Amino acid sequence: MAENNQGTTPVDRLRASVEGRVLVPGDADFEQACKVYLGGMDQRPDVVVQPADAADVARVVAIARDSGVPFGVKSGGHSPWALTNGGIVLHLASLRELDIDPESRTAWAGAGLTAGEFTKAAHEHGLALGFGDTPSVGLGGITVGGGVGYLYRRDGLTIDHLLAAEIVTADGQVRVVDADNDPDLFWAIRGGGGNFGVLTRMKYRLHELSTVYAGLLVLPATPETIAGYSKLSLEAPRALTSIVNMFAAPEMPFIPEDKVGTPVMLTMFVYAGEGEAAEQALAPFRNLAEPYADMIEQIPFPNIYEEEEDDWLPIAAARNLFMDDIDLADAEIMLERLAASTADMAAVQIRPLGGGVAADVAEDATAYGHRGRNFMLNLASIYSDLENADTHAAWVDDFTVTLQKGVPGVYVNFLEDDSAARIGEAYSEQTWARLRSVKQTYDPGNLFRVNNNIPPSGDN
C-alpha cells in the first residue's frame, strides 16, 4: 500500500469491500484506466477502482472519506482533471447500463457510457439527445457541467433534458434526485460539475430525430468571413447548430495546395431536418466565400461524430471564454494572434449559442451560467516543445483577456489549469453562493475536490 502525506491508501480494504475491479500499477489494465484525453498528464493514483454498481461506489466513497487520501472520480470519457498523485481514482467506465423507453422517449443511462455509444443506441429508436461534439466524451462528466453539442440551438443543453439522477453523496448514501426529491442537489448537479457526489445513472428526455443535414463547410478565414459567419449563426433557425475551428491550413485532401498554411474556417454544421428548409438555412453560409470544400449532406444523426485517434493525446494550453458579439475588429485580432503563435498548431473555436440555450430555460433554473451570452470560444495552443510551455500559456492568457473585453465568463467543463483562478467566472454571484451552500449541505468536508472545485460555504 502506497504512502502519501495524507495517509495510507487502503488497497486491501478496497479489495475486500467492492465487487468490481481494483487495479494497481503493474496490473494489465491500470495504464488504460489512467488514460485521459490530454497528453502531458503524469499523475498516477495508487489504485483505480472500477465499480460493479452504485453500492460499490458508495463503499469506495466511504473508504476514501475515512482514509483521507486524495480521491478522484473519472467518468467514461475525457476526464482531464480526474487523476490524483497517489490515492484513489474511481473509474466509472464500468457503469454501462442503458434502458431506453421509446414510448415515453426517456432513457436511464450509466455514467460510464460515452456520447457515441448512447447516440448509436438511441438512433435505433429514432431518438436523439445532444451531448458533446466528440463521441468519446463520458455522459457523467459532460452532463454535470451543462452539455454543449450539436443540438443545443434546437433543444438547449444536455442538463435541460435531465429528468433525474442516481447519485452517491459524501455520506455514502445512494440517492435518486429530481425536481421533487433533494431539489437543491438536483439543481446543483445541472451545471455545478462533479462537486456534489458521484453520478452513477442519469434519466434523460429524448427527442425524435433520425437524419440531419450535416457536414463540414471549409472556407477561407478572413475578417469578413469570420464576422459574417458570426452574424449569420445567430440569425439562423434554431434547427441549425454549428461549431467553427480556425487555424492555419495543414495539408489535407480537401485544401487546395496553394492554400496550405493560410487561415481556414472548418465549420461543422448540423441542421436537425432535411429538404428545402435545410438548404435555405445553409445557403447564406455557403455564400460567404467560395468554399474550399462542401461536405454537407443528409446523414444519420450518429454520423456527425468523426472517428478519433485513440493514440493522439495532445499537449495544449487552452482557455475558454464567452463573447456577446464578434465584429470585424475582433476577427482581425483573432487572425493576428493565430499568425503570431509559435505553437505547432494554434486554433480558435467559436460556438454560436442562443436558440434553446437562451430561450427555453430560466437563468436560475439550473446552475449553468451565461445562458444569455451569444458565443462560447475556445483558444488553444497545441505544442510539443515542452520547454516553451510558459510561452504558449501566456499566449492563450493574453488572447483571452483581449477578447473578453473586461466581461469575464467561462464554461465549467472547459476550465483547464486556470480552474482555481477562474471557477467563479462560471457562475453569477447569486448562483455561486447557492452552489457553495449546497456543497456545505452535501459535502462539507470537500471530499469531491479533485475537479473544478466549488468549496463549501463553511470554508473561507
Side-chain angles (χ1 to χ4, degrees):
M1 293 185 290
E3 298 282 343
N4 60 57
N5 59 13
Q6 292 181 279
T8 302
T9 302
V11 176
D12 290 341
R13 185 180 171 194
L14 288 166
R15 285 178 172 148
S17 301
V18 304
E19 296 181 11
R21 304 177 72 199
V22 177
L23 305 174
V24 296
D27 287 347
D29 296 327
F30 179 82
E31 291 301 323
Q32 181 62 32
C34 291
K35 184 178 177 180
V36 296
Y37 178 68
L38 290 176
M41 309 290 283
D42 58 359
Q43 300 96 323
R44 280 297 177 270
D46 294 327
V47 60
V48 174
V49 181
Q50 297 177 328
D53 51 26
D56 256 4
V57 171
R59 296 182 191 105
V60 175
V61 166
I63 291 171
R65 184 191 64 236
D66 294 346
S67 67
V69 301
F71 178 52
V73 180
K74 186 175 185 291
S75 187
H78 293 181
S79 306
W81 311 116
L83 297 183
T84 61
N85 276 320
I88 303 166
V89 165
L90 183 62
H91 185 206
L92 303 181
S94 51
L95 301 182
R96 308 183 58 76
E97 173 189 347
L98 181 56
D99 182 13
I100 298 174
D101 183 348
E103 291 189 9
S104 65
R105 292 188 294 184
T106 60
W108 275 101
L113 290 167
T114 64
E117 292 165 342
F118 183 97
T119 298
K120 288 179 180 178
H123 180 69
E124 294 179 5
H125 304 282
L127 300 172
L129 179 63
F131 290 105
D133 57 327
T134 59
S136 57
V137 68
L139 297 196
I142 192 172
T143 297
V144 293
V148 287
Y150 284 123
L151 295 178
Y152 58 72
R153 278 184 50 79
R154 189 188 80 158
D155 297 333
L157 305 169
T158 304
I159 53 171
D160 299 337
H161 307 282
L162 183 68
L163 301 176
E166 181 181 77
I167 182 173
V168 179
T169 44
D171 57 5
Q173 287 195 48
V174 181
R175 308 168 187 260
V176 177
V177 301
D178 56 25
D180 299 316
N181 299 283
D182 290 297
D184 282 345
L185 181 57
F186 184 56
W187 170 84
I189 64 173
R190 289 176 292 159
N195 281 280
F196 308 96
V198 183
L199 262 71
T200 53
R201 293 190 306 149
M202 295 79 66
K203 184 180 182 181
Y204 298 110
R205 178 194 306 113
L206 308 182
H207 303 274
E208 292 184 356
L209 184 66
S210 290
T211 68
V212 291
Y213 190 56
L216 279 177
L217 182 69
V218 184
L219 298 173
T222 66
E224 291 74 22
T225 56
I226 297 168
Y229 161 81
S230 302
K231 179 176 183 293
L232 289 172
S233 63
L234 296 181
E235 299 171 351
R238 281 182 47 158
L240 182 65
T241 297
S242 62
I243 301 175
V244 61
N245 290 290
M246 297 185 297
F247 44 78
E251 292 184 1
M252 304 176 81
F254 48 79
I255 300 292
E257 191 173 330
D258 63 336
K259 301 303 180 183
V260 171
T262 66
V264 294
M265 300 171 63
L266 269 69
T267 309
M268 179 67 179
F269 287 97
V270 177
Y271 183 90
E274 55 188 279
E276 184 62 27
E279 292 286 354
Q280 290 179 356
L282 270 296
F285 297 93
R286 286 170 161 147
N287 291 333
L288 283 171
E290 183 68 28
Y292 294 155
D294 186 341
M295 307 177 199
I296 302 170
E297 59 183 342
Q298 204 71 33
I299 58 173
F301 181 65
N303 288 16
I304 62 169
Y305 292 130
E306 297 181 356
E307 293 293 329
E308 295 181 294
E309 299 178 30
D310 286 342
D311 296 331
W312 188 61
L313 302 177
I315 298 174
R319 295 291 180 263
N320 175 264
L321 68 146
F322 290 91
M323 295 181 69
D324 295 313
D325 60 85
I326 298 175
D327 57 23
L328 283 170
D330 297 318
E332 288 171 353
I333 290 171
M334 293 177 190
L335 293 173
E336 289 170 0
R337 295 300 179 93
L338 287 175
S341 171
T342 58
D344 298 341
M345 175 176 284
V348 174
Q349 181 187 80
I350 302 174
R351 297 172 182 244
L353 302 172
V357 176
D360 295 351
V361 177
E363 185 77 29
D364 60 355
T366 68
Y368 175 85
H370 308 298
R371 286 187 181 271
R373 305 299 295 270
N374 284 334
F375 299 98
M376 178 189 293
L377 281 78
N378 287 308
L379 314 177
S381 178
I382 301 170
Y383 60 93
S384 54
D385 53 333
L386 302 183
E387 67 278 6
N388 291 318
D390 290 346
T391 299
H392 302 303
W395 180 85
V396 291
D397 285 335
D398 183 64
F399 199 176
T400 301
V401 171
T402 300
L403 290 179
Q404 278 188 322
K405 304 176 184 178
V407 184
V410 66
Y411 172 43
V412 68
N413 273 0
F414 286 158
L415 279 166
E416 300 286 341
D417 57 350
D418 57 341
S419 177
R422 298 185 65 203
I423 179 67
E425 293 182 24
Y427 308 104
S428 69
E429 185 175 339
Q430 180 180 6
T431 297
W432 178 251
R434 185 178 175 187
L435 283 168
R436 292 194 65 189
S437 177
V438 176
K439 178 78 169 183
Q440 180 68 33
T441 299
Y442 290 96
D443 185 18
N446 204 10
L447 173 65
F448 303 109
R449 61 184 179 274
V450 181
N451 51 31
N452 295 317
N453 192 236
I454 297 171
S457 56
D459 286 4
N460 294 322

